[in-house]
């Protein structure tokens, strides 16, 4: 992953909706705050839609999608795990499992994508 994609990966741990805003903010040349907070309502800029296929290969995009799909669900899910178990140990184990599994599956799908494309 590029550093921009990894930052989007990390922000998606908090909320999946922030992913589009972070990618839009990091890859666009516009105002970062406006791009991040308005991405959900306004959408992705046209220049970003043209730029992303040039910067991110198909195999890398496939691996990134798999990393996002299998990433930590959201902060509310983590809070529910804590509310049910009352254990910080389970929180750390579940977050560690999600991160390790999502990055491992991302690597596998990236290499599959390299074989396909």
């Amino acid at each position: 992953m590029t550093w921009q994609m990894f930052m989007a990966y990390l922000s998606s741990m908090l909320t999946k909706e922030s992913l589009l805003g972070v990618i839009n903010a990091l890859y666009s040349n516009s105002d970062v705050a406006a791009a991040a907070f308005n991405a959900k309502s306004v959408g992705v800029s046209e220049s970003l839609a043209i730029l992303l296929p040039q910067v991110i290969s198909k195999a890398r995009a496939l691996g990134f999608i798999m990393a996002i799909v299998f990433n930590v669900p959201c902060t509310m899910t983590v809070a529910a795990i804590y509310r049910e178990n009352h254990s910080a140990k389970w929180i750390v184990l579940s977050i560690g499992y999600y991160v390790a599994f999502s990055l491992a599956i991302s690597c596998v799908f990236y290499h599959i994508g390299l074989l396909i494309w």
Side-chain angles (χ1 to χ4, degrees):
M1 283 189 236
T2 62
W3 71 269
Q4 293 97 337
M5 292 170 60
F6 191 72
M7 293 305 294
Y9 171 80
L10 291 178
S11 73
S12 72
M13 288 182 189
L14 299 174
T15 60
K16 297 290 185 196
E17 295 84 11
S18 69
L19 176 73
L20 180 61
V22 171
I23 289 175
N24 196 19
L26 291 176
Y27 279 107
S28 69
N29 292 329
S30 62
D31 180 26
V32 173
F37 291 114
N38 296 328
K40 189 174 180 183
S41 60
V42 176
V44 179
S45 65
E46 290 181 25
S47 62
L48 185 63
I50 295 168
L51 176 70
L52 281 180
Q54 296 172 357
V55 177
I56 301 170
S57 67
K58 290 180 182 180
R60 188 177 286 172
L62 179 65
F64 182 67
I65 289 170
M66 289 299 121
I68 296 302
V69 168
F70 292 104
N71 197 3
V72 178
C74 67
T75 52
M76 293 307 294
T77 304
V78 173
I81 292 171
Y82 180 75
R83 189 176 60 224
E84 294 293 326
N85 294 320
H86 299 291
S87 172
K89 178 182 172 183
W90 279 108
I91 298 289
V92 171
L93 285 174
S94 66
I95 290 173
Y97 170 76
Y98 277 119
V99 170
F101 183 72
S102 70
L103 292 177
I105 213 88
S106 170
C107 182
V108 168
F109 274 86
Y110 170 72
H111 288 289
I112 290 172
L114 287 176
L115 293 173
I116 294 171
W117 293 293

